Amino acid sequence: MGENITRKIIGAHRLSGEMTPGSEIGLRIDQTLTQDATGTMACLQFEAVGLDRVQTELSVSYVDHNTLQMGFRNPDDHRYLRTMAARYGIVFSPPGTGICHQLHLENFARPGKTLIGSDSHTPTAGGVGSLAMGAGGLSVALAMAGEPYTISMPKVVRVQLTGRLSGWAAGKDVILELLRRLTVKGGVGKVFEFAGPGVASLTVPERATITNMGAELGATTSIFPSDERTREFFRIMGREDEWTELVADADAEYDETIEINLSDLEPLVAQPHMPDRVVPVRELAGLPVSQVAIGSCTNSSYADLKTTVQVLQGRRLPPETDLLVSPGSKQVLKMLAAEGLVEPLLDAGARLLECSCGPCIGMGGSPVSQGVSVRTFNRNFEGRSGTKDAQVYLASPQTAVNLALAGKFTDPAEWGAAPERVELPQTAPSIRHLFIFPPENGSDVEILRGPNIVPLEKFDALPEVIEAGVKLKVGDDITTDHILPAGAQITALRSNIPAISQYIFSRVDEQFVPRILEAGGGIILGGENYGQGSSREHAALGPRHLGVRAVIVKSLARIHRANLVNFGILPLLLVRPEDYDRLEQDSELRIRTAAIAPGATFEIEVSGAESVDVTNDLTEKELNIIKAGGLLNFVREASRA
Ligand code: MIC
Ligand code: SF4
């Protein structure tokens, strides 16, 4: 029987476990990436392991989230990351060089390699055939230390692409169509592997847009074959020697198949406040648009920006619409400059921002009150833009720039002829010299820490009995942005857990932190898909710092589930959904943790009411990690044994 690409890569990296969907497997990790917002923790955790050098083929530390440097905190973090990278053998990408995923795709990603990154959009590298997964910072730290990365063996979904994109339809519309059909929960436990005759028609940047936003499906990852187009991309990036072919066998089998005819796609848009609320752009015609933002790791490539400029050329934006453009990397910006494409952008009235995450993570660029902002990003969760009542829509650059010029939603039929699809130029300027490569031996390098770098706290083991109250009850699809909001002020505290914990659930219920502190700990009750979105482990670390020992939910998102385990919080699943309605904020619960066994159902006592049944999907090892008080304790104990 032939193999698909996903199984080929997993097979070549599997250190333990069976390759049947749902079984726990351990994978050897070739490459890691971190970004500054999650990377400071990952680096502190790597240091805590006590090795002299990273054990991976390649580890890169990017600075792209907290680049604003308002006050000492962010620059202190950057200096720590730079010196720590030199000390332990990590490549460092300074602030302003670009967005981690765009830079990794252009400079380091390789077909057939495994990559984990402390950022949920790490699957971007699947655009060139890497098996690239988002993970919590601690999982990345341990991969840097040479430990296997554990996942549940995914199902592989063949996404059969036929036809070709035409008119104003873009790569973004392929993934928006998948989100429309499958929703933000539709990819849980799955890898989306793209196949079929339509693949060859998509450029590498288009493929990367699609795999990037596969994260919004909740998927383990998404991946494209590495074919002649991929080879051409590597040649243009000046690293053809790093290219290898990687295609599925002709008779490869898949667990499921979905078909998308690219020729049928039209411009789509995700409405507030979830990436799966997708409708055709034409249906919203007439809605005024106050801001448009083009950029982010989803859509900031040379092709995305060149298309934007081609539409803007010689035209002027209406005064009521602000257009923000953030190139994905300095390489993209250099290519635009070389072709004289920066000037028309400026002349149209657009604002050119730094090559960084910027408005996507709420670092500036907030919309006006109740404003409609159309963004080429991947997330439109409520409040993430920094303006609480803004309405954020997600679309392709093609759509975004047309709406910016009109100052409102219009029917694509009125946009005139679409420009030709942009291919990369024959050669691209290198920016390799901007990365700081580590010395052969870094043992003499002094690691510089400012006051914002607060050492890790040591967590205690899980008690035999948890007696605590439900301190917060939340609904379905709670994102990590609800648990720990983004924005300049809060994100600057990512290396300081005591300080950042004060913001846990602050936008959901301002009284949550005082309430749980007063009680000395507690439990969180949630609905379906709890913890979807970002990989930020602070959404587990913060609650743990505040004394949360268990979350009881209907279902969990993959990375957040792993983060809860990593920091010793019990993720329990309600057996009967009705019990969710019976439990209230302030219900007092008694959980006998000694009675928990992997996969087994057990009772939780509820004071003054009937008990509720919960279960878990934990493996023996995960349960032992939680009992030890978290993964770092577990690893330390294991190395002592
Ligand atoms: C995001 O897009 O939400 C982030 C910011 O990139 C996060 C990581 C973080 O919170 O630092 C992600 O996607 O994992
Ligand atoms: Fe940065 Fe936004 Fe991409 Fe997250 S989704 S890595 S914040 S650009």
Side-chain angles (χ1 to χ4, degrees), residues 240-319:
E240 195 176 358
D241 55 327
E242 295 181 11
W243 175 81
T244 43
E245 186 180 44
L246 181 63
V247 291
D249 296 333
D251 57 346
E253 293 194 1
Y254 296 80
D255 299 295
E256 288 169 27
T257 298
I258 306 178
E259 193 170 325
I260 294 188
N261 184 344
L262 299 172
S263 311
D264 290 346
L265 291 180
E266 62 175 311
L268 298 171
V269 60
Q271 309 172 90
H273 299 287
M274 235 2 110
D276 59 1
R277 298 199 59 228
V278 175
V279 293
V281 171
R282 63 186 153 75
E283 286 185 11
L284 300 177
L287 179 71
V289 172
S290 51
Q291 183 195 57
V292 170
I294 297 181
S296 93
C297 58
T298 316
N299 276 122
S300 57
S301 69
Y302 162 80
D304 289 331
L305 299 198
K306 182 164 178 178
T307 308
T308 303
V309 179
Q310 282 175 338
V311 178
L312 282 178
Q313 193 111 33
R315 299 165 77 180
R316 175 76 176 88
L317 290 155

Coordinates of all heavy atoms in Angstrom, one line a residue, residues 240-319:
E240 N 18.6 26.1 -3.6 CA 18.2 24.9 -4.3 C 18.8 23.7 -3.7 O 18.1 22.6 -3.8 CB 18.5 25.1 -5.8 CG 17.7 24.1 -6.6 CD 17.9 24.3 -8.1 OE1 18.7 25.2 -8.5 OE2 17.3 23.5 -8.9
D241 N 20.0 23.8 -3.2 CA 20.6 22.6 -2.7 C 19.8 22.0 -1.4 O 20.1 20.9 -1.0 CB 22.1 22.9 -2.3 CG 22.1 24.1 -1.3 OD1 21.3 25.0 -1.4 OD2 23.0 24.1 -0.4
E242 N 19.0 22.8 -0.9 CA 18.2 22.3 0.3 C 16.9 21.7 -0.1 O 16.1 21.2 0.7 CB 18.0 23.4 1.3 CG 19.3 23.9 1.9 CD 19.1 25.1 2.9 OE1 17.9 25.3 3.3 OE2 20.1 25.7 3.3
W243 N 16.6 21.7 -1.4 CA 15.3 21.2 -1.9 C 15.4 19.7 -2.1 O 16.4 19.1 -2.5 CB 14.9 21.9 -3.2 CG 13.7 21.3 -3.8 CD1 12.4 21.6 -3.4 CD2 13.6 20.3 -4.8 NE1 11.5 20.8 -4.2 CE2 12.2 20.0 -5.0 CE3 14.5 19.6 -5.6 CZ2 11.7 19.1 -5.9 CZ3 14.0 18.6 -6.5 CH2 12.7 18.4 -6.7
T244 N 14.3 19.0 -1.7 CA 14.1 17.6 -2.1 C 12.7 17.4 -2.6 O 11.8 18.1 -2.1 CB 14.4 16.6 -0.9 OG1 13.8 17.2 0.2 CG2 15.9 16.4 -0.7
E245 N 12.5 16.4 -3.4 CA 11.1 16.1 -3.9 C 10.4 15.3 -2.8 O 11.0 14.5 -2.1 CB 11.2 15.3 -5.2 CG 9.8 15.1 -5.7 CD 9.8 14.4 -7.0 OE1 10.5 13.3 -7.1 OE2 9.0 14.8 -7.9
L246 N 9.1 15.6 -2.6 CA 8.4 14.8 -1.6 C 6.9 14.8 -2.1 O 6.2 15.8 -2.1 CB 8.5 15.5 -0.3 CG 7.7 14.8 0.9 CD1 8.3 13.4 1.2 CD2 7.8 15.7 2.1
V247 N 6.5 13.6 -2.6 CA 5.2 13.5 -3.1 C 4.6 12.2 -2.6 O 5.3 11.3 -2.2 CB 5.1 13.5 -4.7 CG1 5.5 14.8 -5.2 CG2 6.0 12.4 -5.2
A248 N 3.2 12.2 -2.5 CA 2.6 11.0 -2.1 C 2.7 9.9 -3.1 O 2.8 10.2 -4.3 CB 1.1 11.3 -1.8
D249 N 2.7 8.6 -2.7 CA 2.7 7.5 -3.7 C 1.4 7.6 -4.5 O 0.4 8.0 -3.9 CB 2.9 6.2 -3.0 CG 4.2 6.1 -2.2 OD1 5.2 6.7 -2.7 OD2 4.3 5.3 -1.2
A250 N 1.5 7.1 -5.7 CA 0.3 7.2 -6.6 C -0.9 6.4 -5.9 O -2.0 6.9 -6.1 CB 0.6 6.6 -7.9
D251 N -0.6 5.3 -5.2 CA -1.8 4.6 -4.6 C -1.9 4.9 -3.1 O -2.4 4.1 -2.3 CB -1.6 3.1 -4.8 CG -0.2 2.6 -4.3 OD1 0.6 3.5 -4.0 OD2 0.0 1.4 -4.1
A252 N -1.4 6.1 -2.7 CA -1.5 6.4 -1.3 C -2.9 6.4 -0.8 O -3.9 6.8 -1.5 CB -0.9 7.8 -1.0
E253 N -3.1 6.0 0.5 CA -4.4 6.0 1.1 C -4.6 7.1 2.1 O -3.6 7.5 2.7 CB -4.7 4.6 1.8 CG -4.8 3.5 0.8 CD -5.4 2.3 1.3 OE1 -5.7 2.2 2.5 OE2 -5.4 1.3 0.6
Y254 N -5.8 7.5 2.3 CA -6.1 8.6 3.2 C -7.2 8.2 4.1 O -8.0 7.4 3.7 CB -6.4 9.9 2.5 CG -5.3 10.4 1.6 CD1 -5.0 9.9 0.4 CD2 -4.5 11.5 2.1 CE1 -3.9 10.3 -0.4 CE2 -3.4 11.9 1.4 CZ -3.1 11.4 0.1 OH -2.0 11.8 -0.6
D255 N -7.4 8.8 5.2 CA -8.5 8.5 6.1 C -9.8 9.2 5.6 O -10.9 8.7 5.9 CB -8.2 9.0 7.6 CG -7.0 8.2 8.1 OD1 -7.0 7.0 8.3 OD2 -5.9 8.9 8.3
E256 N -9.7 10.3 5.0 CA -10.9 11.0 4.5 C -10.5 11.8 3.3 O -9.3 12.1 3.1 CB -11.4 12.1 5.5 CG -12.0 11.5 6.7 CD -12.3 12.6 7.8 OE1 -12.4 13.8 7.5 OE2 -12.3 12.2 9.0
T257 N -11.4 12.2 2.5 CA -11.1 13.0 1.3 C -12.2 14.2 1.2 O -13.3 14.0 1.5 CB -11.2 12.2 0.0 OG1 -10.2 11.2 0.0 CG2 -10.9 13.1 -1.2
I258 N -11.7 15.3 0.8 CA -12.5 16.5 0.6 C -12.1 17.0 -0.8 O -10.9 17.0 -1.1 CB -12.3 17.6 1.6 CG1 -12.4 17.2 3.0 CG2 -13.2 18.8 1.3 CD1 -12.1 18.3 3.9
E259 N -13.1 17.5 -1.6 CA -12.7 18.0 -2.9 C -13.0 19.5 -3.0 O -14.0 20.0 -2.5 CB -13.4 17.3 -4.0 CG -12.8 17.6 -5.3 CD -13.3 16.7 -6.4 OE1 -13.6 15.5 -6.1 OE2 -13.5 17.2 -7.5
I260 N -12.1 20.3 -3.5 CA -12.3 21.7 -3.8 C -12.0 22.0 -5.2 O -10.8 21.7 -5.7 CB -11.5 22.6 -2.9 CG1 -11.9 22.5 -1.4 CG2 -11.6 24.1 -3.3 CD1 -11.3 23.4 -0.5
N261 N -12.9 22.5 -6.0 CA -12.6 22.9 -7.4 C -12.3 24.4 -7.3 O -13.1 25.2 -7.1 CB -13.9 22.7 -8.2 CG -13.6 23.0 -9.7 OD1 -12.6 23.6 -10.0 ND2 -14.5 22.5 -10.6
L262 N -11.0 24.6 -7.5 CA -10.5 26.0 -7.4 C -11.2 26.9 -8.4 O -11.4 28.1 -8.1 CB -9.0 26.0 -7.7 CG -8.1 25.2 -6.8 CD1 -6.6 25.2 -7.3 CD2 -8.1 25.8 -5.4
S263 N -11.6 26.4 -9.5 CA -12.3 27.2 -10.5 C -13.6 27.8 -10.0 O -14.1 28.8 -10.5 CB -12.6 26.5 -11.8 OG -11.4 25.8 -12.2
D264 N -14.2 27.1 -9.0 CA -15.5 27.5 -8.5 C -15.4 28.6 -7.4 O -16.4 29.2 -7.0 CB -16.3 26.4 -7.8 CG -16.7 25.3 -8.8 OD1 -16.7 25.7 -10.0 OD2 -17.1 24.2 -8.4
L265 N -14.2 28.9 -6.9 CA -14.1 29.8 -5.8 C -14.3 31.3 -6.2 O -13.8 31.7 -7.3 CB -12.7 29.6 -5.1 CG -12.5 28.3 -4.4 CD1 -11.1 28.3 -3.8 CD2 -13.5 28.1 -3.3
E266 N -14.9 32.0 -5.3 CA -15.1 33.5 -5.5 C -14.5 34.1 -4.2 O -14.3 33.4 -3.2 CB -16.5 33.8 -5.7 CG -17.4 33.4 -4.5 CD -18.8 33.9 -4.6 OE1 -19.0 35.1 -4.9 OE2 -19.8 33.1 -4.3
P267 N -14.3 35.4 -4.2 CA -13.8 36.1 -3.0 C -14.7 35.9 -1.8 O -15.9 36.1 -1.9 CB -13.7 37.6 -3.4 CG -13.5 37.5 -4.9 CD -14.3 36.3 -5.4
L268 N -14.1 35.5 -0.7 CA -14.8 35.1 0.5 C -14.3 36.0 1.6 O -13.2 36.6 1.6 CB -14.6 33.7 0.9 CG -15.1 32.6 -0.2 CD1 -14.7 31.2 0.2 CD2 -16.7 32.7 -0.3
V269 N -15.1 36.1 2.7 CA -14.7 36.9 3.9 C -15.2 36.2 5.1 O -16.3 35.7 5.1 CB -15.2 38.4 3.7 CG1 -16.7 38.5 3.6 CG2 -14.7 39.2 4.9
A270 N -14.4 36.2 6.2 CA -14.9 35.7 7.5 C -15.4 36.9 8.3 O -14.7 37.9 8.4 CB -13.7 35.0 8.2
Q271 N -16.6 36.8 8.8 CA -17.2 37.9 9.6 C -16.8 37.8 11.0 O -16.4 36.8 11.5 CB -18.7 37.8 9.4 CG -19.2 37.7 8.0 CD -20.7 37.4 8.0 OE1 -21.5 38.3 8.0 NE2 -21.1 36.1 8.1
P272 N -17.0 38.9 11.8 CA -16.7 38.9 13.2 C -17.6 37.8 13.9 O -18.7 37.6 13.5 CB -17.2 40.3 13.7 CG -17.5 41.1 12.4 CD -17.6 40.2 11.3
H273 N -17.1 37.2 14.9 CA -15.7 37.3 15.5 C -15.1 36.0 15.5 O -14.3 35.6 16.4 CB -15.8 37.8 17.0 CG -16.5 39.1 17.2 ND1 -15.8 40.3 16.9 CD2 -17.7 39.5 17.6 CE1 -16.6 41.3 17.1 NE2 -17.7 40.9 17.6
M274 N -15.3 35.2 14.4 CA -14.7 33.9 14.3 C -14.3 33.6 12.9 O -15.0 34.0 11.9 CB -15.8 32.9 14.7 CG -15.6 31.8 15.8 SD -14.1 31.8 16.7 CE -14.7 32.4 18.3
P275 N -13.1 33.0 12.7 CA -12.6 32.8 11.3 C -13.5 31.8 10.4 O -13.3 31.8 9.2 CB -11.3 32.1 11.5 CG -10.9 32.3 12.9 CD -12.2 32.6 13.7
D276 N -14.5 31.2 11.0 CA -15.3 30.3 10.2 C -16.6 30.9 9.8 O -17.5 30.2 9.2 CB -15.5 28.9 10.9 CG -16.2 29.0 12.3 OD1 -16.5 30.2 12.7 OD2 -16.4 28.0 12.9
R277 N -16.9 32.1 10.2 CA -18.1 32.7 9.8 C -18.0 33.3 8.4 O -18.1 34.5 8.1 CB -18.5 33.8 10.8 CG -18.7 33.2 12.2 CD -19.5 34.2 13.1 NE -20.8 34.4 12.5 CZ -21.3 35.7 12.4 NH1 -20.7 36.7 12.9 NH2 -22.5 35.8 11.9
V278 N -17.9 32.4 7.4 CA -17.4 32.8 6.1 C -18.6 33.0 5.1 O -19.5 32.1 5.1 CB -16.5 31.8 5.5 CG1 -16.1 32.1 4.1 CG2 -15.2 31.7 6.4
V279 N -18.6 34.1 4.4 CA -19.7 34.3 3.4 C -19.0 34.9 2.1 O -17.9 35.5 2.2 CB -20.8 35.3 3.8 CG1 -21.6 34.6 5.0 CG2 -20.2 36.6 4.3
P280 N -19.6 34.9 1.0 CA -19.1 35.6 -0.2 C -19.1 37.1 0.0 O -20.0 37.6 0.7 CB -20.1 35.2 -1.3 CG -20.8 34.0 -0.9 CD -20.9 34.1 0.6
V281 N -18.0 37.7 -0.4 CA -17.9 39.2 -0.2 C -19.1 39.9 -0.8 O -19.6 40.9 -0.2 CB -16.6 39.7 -1.0 CG1 -16.5 41.2 -1.0 CG2 -15.3 39.1 -0.3
R282 N -19.6 39.5 -1.9 CA -20.7 40.2 -2.5 C -21.9 40.3 -1.6 O -22.7 41.3 -1.7 CB -21.1 39.6 -3.9 CG -21.6 38.2 -3.7 CD -21.9 37.5 -5.1 NE -21.7 36.0 -4.9 CZ -22.6 35.3 -4.4 NH1 -23.7 35.7 -3.9 NH2 -22.4 34.0 -4.2
E283 N -22.1 39.4 -0.7 CA -23.3 39.4 0.2 C -23.2 40.6 1.1 O -24.3 40.9 1.8 CB -23.4 38.1 1.0 CG -23.9 37.0 0.1 CD -24.2 35.7 0.9 OE1 -24.2 35.8 2.2 OE2 -24.4 34.7 0.2
L284 N -22.1 41.2 1.3 CA -22.0 42.3 2.3 C -21.9 43.7 1.6 O -21.7 44.7 2.3 CB -20.7 42.1 3.2 CG -20.7 40.8 4.0 CD1 -19.4 40.7 4.7 CD2 -21.8 40.7 4.9
A285 N -22.1 43.7 0.3 CA -22.0 45.0 -0.4 C -22.8 46.1 0.2 O -23.9 45.9 0.7 CB -22.5 44.8 -1.9
G286 N -22.1 47.3 0.4 CA -22.7 48.4 1.0 C -22.2 48.7 2.4 O -22.3 49.9 2.8
L287 N -21.6 47.7 3.1 CA -21.1 47.9 4.5 C -19.9 48.8 4.4 O -18.9 48.5 3.8 CB -20.8 46.6 5.1 CG -20.3 46.6 6.5 CD1 -21.3 47.0 7.5 CD2 -19.7 45.2 6.8
P288 N -19.9 50.0 5.1 CA -18.8 50.9 5.1 C -17.5 50.3 5.8 O -17.7 49.5 6.8 CB -19.2 52.1 5.9 CG -20.7 52.0 6.0 CD -21.0 50.5 5.9
V289 N -16.4 50.5 5.3 CA -15.1 50.0 5.8 C -14.2 51.2 6.3 O -14.0 52.1 5.5 CB -14.4 49.2 4.7 CG1 -13.0 48.8 5.2 CG2 -15.2 48.0 4.3
S290 N -13.8 51.1 7.6 CA -13.0 52.3 8.0 C -11.5 52.0 8.1 O -10.7 52.9 8.1 CB -13.5 52.7 9.4 OG -13.5 51.5 10.3
Q291 N -11.2 50.7 8.0 CA -9.8 50.4 8.1 C -9.5 49.1 7.3 O -10.3 48.2 7.3 CB -9.3 50.2 9.5 CG -7.8 49.9 9.6 CD -7.4 49.4 11.0 OE1 -7.9 48.3 11.4 NE2 -6.5 50.1 11.7
V292 N -8.3 49.1 6.6 CA -7.9 47.9 6.0 C -6.5 47.6 6.4 O -5.7 48.5 6.4 CB -8.1 48.0 4.4 CG1 -7.4 46.8 3.7 CG2 -9.5 48.0 4.1
A293 N -6.2 46.4 6.8 CA -4.8 46.0 7.2 C -4.3 44.8 6.3 O -5.0 43.8 6.3 CB -4.7 45.8 8.6
I294 N -3.2 45.0 5.7 CA -2.6 44.0 4.8 C -1.3 43.5 5.4 O -0.4 44.4 5.7 CB -2.5 44.4 3.4 CG1 -3.9 44.8 2.8 CG2 -1.8 43.4 2.5 CD1 -4.0 45.2 1.4
G295 N -1.2 42.3 5.7 CA 0.1 41.8 6.3 C -0.2 40.5 7.1 O -1.2 39.8 6.8
S296 N 0.6 40.3 8.1 CA 0.5 39.1 9.0 C 1.1 37.9 8.4 O 1.3 37.8 7.2 CB -0.9 38.7 9.5 OG -1.5 37.8 8.6
C297 N 1.4 36.8 9.2 CA 2.0 35.6 8.6 C 1.2 34.9 7.6 O 1.6 34.1 6.9 CB 2.4 34.7 9.8 SG 1.0 34.2 10.8
T298 N -0.1 35.3 7.4 CA -1.0 34.6 6.5 C -0.8 35.3 5.1 O -0.8 34.6 4.1 CB -2.4 34.8 6.9 OG1 -2.6 34.5 8.2 CG2 -3.3 33.9 6.1
N299 N -0.7 36.6 5.0 CA -0.7 37.2 3.7 C 0.2 38.4 3.7 O -0.2 39.6 3.6 CB -2.1 37.7 3.4 CG -3.0 36.7 2.8 OD1 -4.0 36.4 3.3 ND2 -2.6 36.1 1.6
S300 N 1.5 38.2 3.7 CA 2.5 39.4 3.7 C 3.6 39.1 2.7 O 4.7 39.6 2.9 CB 3.0 39.6 5.1 OG 3.6 38.5 5.6
S301 N 3.4 38.2 1.8 CA 4.4 37.8 0.9 C 4.6 38.9 -0.2 O 3.8 39.8 -0.4 CB 4.1 36.5 0.2 OG 3.0 36.6 -0.7
Y302 N 5.7 38.7 -1.0 CA 5.9 39.6 -2.1 C 4.7 39.6 -3.0 O 4.3 40.7 -3.5 CB 7.2 39.1 -2.8 CG 7.4 39.6 -4.2 CD1 7.9 40.9 -4.4 CD2 7.0 38.8 -5.3 CE1 8.1 41.3 -5.7 CE2 7.2 39.2 -6.6 CZ 7.7 40.5 -6.8 OH 7.9 41.0 -8.1
A303 N 4.2 38.4 -3.4 CA 3.0 38.4 -4.3 C 1.8 39.1 -3.7 O 1.1 39.8 -4.4 CB 2.7 36.9 -4.6
D304 N 1.6 38.9 -2.4 CA 0.4 39.6 -1.8 C 0.6 41.1 -1.9 O -0.4 41.8 -2.2 CB 0.4 39.2 -0.3 CG -0.1 37.8 -0.1 OD1 -0.8 37.2 -0.9 OD2 0.3 37.2 1.0
L305 N 1.8 41.6 -1.6 CA 1.9 43.1 -1.6 C 2.0 43.6 -3.0 O 1.5 44.7 -3.3 CB 3.2 43.5 -0.8 CG 3.1 43.0 0.7 CD1 4.1 43.8 1.6 CD2 1.7 43.2 1.3
K306 N 2.6 42.9 -3.9 CA 2.7 43.4 -5.3 C 1.3 43.5 -5.9 O 1.0 44.4 -6.5 CB 3.6 42.4 -6.2 CG 3.7 42.9 -7.6 CD 4.9 42.3 -8.3 CE 4.9 42.8 -9.7 NZ 6.0 42.2 -10.5
T307 N 0.5 42.4 -5.6 CA -0.9 42.5 -6.1 C -1.6 43.7 -5.5 O -2.3 44.4 -6.2 CB -1.7 41.2 -5.6 OG1 -0.9 40.1 -6.0 CG2 -3.1 41.1 -6.2
T308 N -1.4 44.0 -4.2 CA -2.0 45.2 -3.6 C -1.6 46.4 -4.3 O -2.4 47.3 -4.6 CB -1.5 45.2 -2.1 OG1 -1.8 44.0 -1.4 CG2 -2.1 46.4 -1.4
V309 N -0.3 46.6 -4.6 CA 0.2 47.8 -5.2 C -0.4 47.9 -6.6 O -0.7 49.0 -7.1 CB 1.8 47.8 -5.3 CG1 2.2 49.1 -5.9 CG2 2.3 47.8 -3.8
Q310 N -0.4 46.8 -7.3 CA -1.0 46.8 -8.7 C -2.4 47.4 -8.7 O -2.7 48.1 -9.7 CB -1.0 45.4 -9.3 CG 0.4 45.0 -9.8 CD 0.4 43.5 -10.3 OE1 -0.4 42.8 -9.9 NE2 1.4 43.2 -11.1
V311 N -3.2 47.1 -7.7 CA -4.5 47.6 -7.7 C -4.5 49.0 -7.3 O -5.3 49.8 -7.8 CB -5.4 46.7 -6.7 CG1 -6.8 47.3 -6.6 CG2 -5.4 45.3 -7.1
L312 N -3.6 49.4 -6.4 CA -3.6 50.8 -5.9 C -3.0 51.8 -6.9 O -3.3 53.0 -6.8 CB -2.7 50.9 -4.6 CG -3.3 50.4 -3.3 CD1 -2.2 50.5 -2.2 CD2 -4.5 51.2 -2.9
Q313 N -2.1 51.3 -7.7 CA -1.3 52.1 -8.6 C -2.1 53.3 -9.2 O -3.1 53.1 -9.8 CB -0.7 51.3 -9.7 CG 0.4 51.9 -10.5 CD 1.7 51.2 -10.3 OE1 1.7 50.0 -10.1 NE2 2.8 52.0 -10.3
G314 N -1.6 54.5 -9.0 CA -2.2 55.7 -9.6 C -3.5 56.1 -8.9 O -4.2 57.0 -9.4
R315 N -3.9 55.4 -7.9 CA -5.2 55.8 -7.2 C -5.0 56.3 -5.8 O -3.9 56.2 -5.3 CB -6.1 54.6 -7.2 CG -6.4 54.1 -8.7 CD -7.1 52.8 -8.7 NE -8.5 52.8 -8.4 CZ -9.2 51.7 -8.3 NH1 -8.7 50.5 -8.6 NH2 -10.5 51.7 -8.0
R316 N -6.0 57.0 -5.3 CA -5.8 57.6 -4.0 C -6.9 57.0 -3.1 O -8.1 56.9 -3.5 CB -6.0 59.1 -4.1 CG -6.0 59.9 -2.8 CD -4.6 60.0 -2.2 NE -4.6 60.8 -1.0 CZ -4.8 60.4 0.2 NH1 -5.1 59.1 0.5 NH2 -4.8 61.2 1.3
L317 N -6.5 56.6 -1.8 CA -7.5 56.0 -0.9 C -8.5 57.1 -0.5 O -8.1 58.2 -0.3 CB -6.8 55.4 0.3 CG -6.0 54.2 0.0 CD1 -4.8 54.0 1.0 CD2 -6.9 52.9 0.0
P318 N -9.8 56.7 -0.2 CA -10.7 57.7 0.3 C -10.3 58.1 1.7 O -9.7 57.3 2.5 CB -12.0 56.9 0.3 CG -11.7 55.5 0.3 CD -10.4 55.4 -0.3
P319 N -10.6 59.4 2.1 CA -10.1 59.8 3.4 C -10.6 59.1 4.6 O -9.9 59.0 5.6 CB -10.6 61.3 3.5 CG -11.6 61.4 2.4 CD -11.3 60.4 1.4

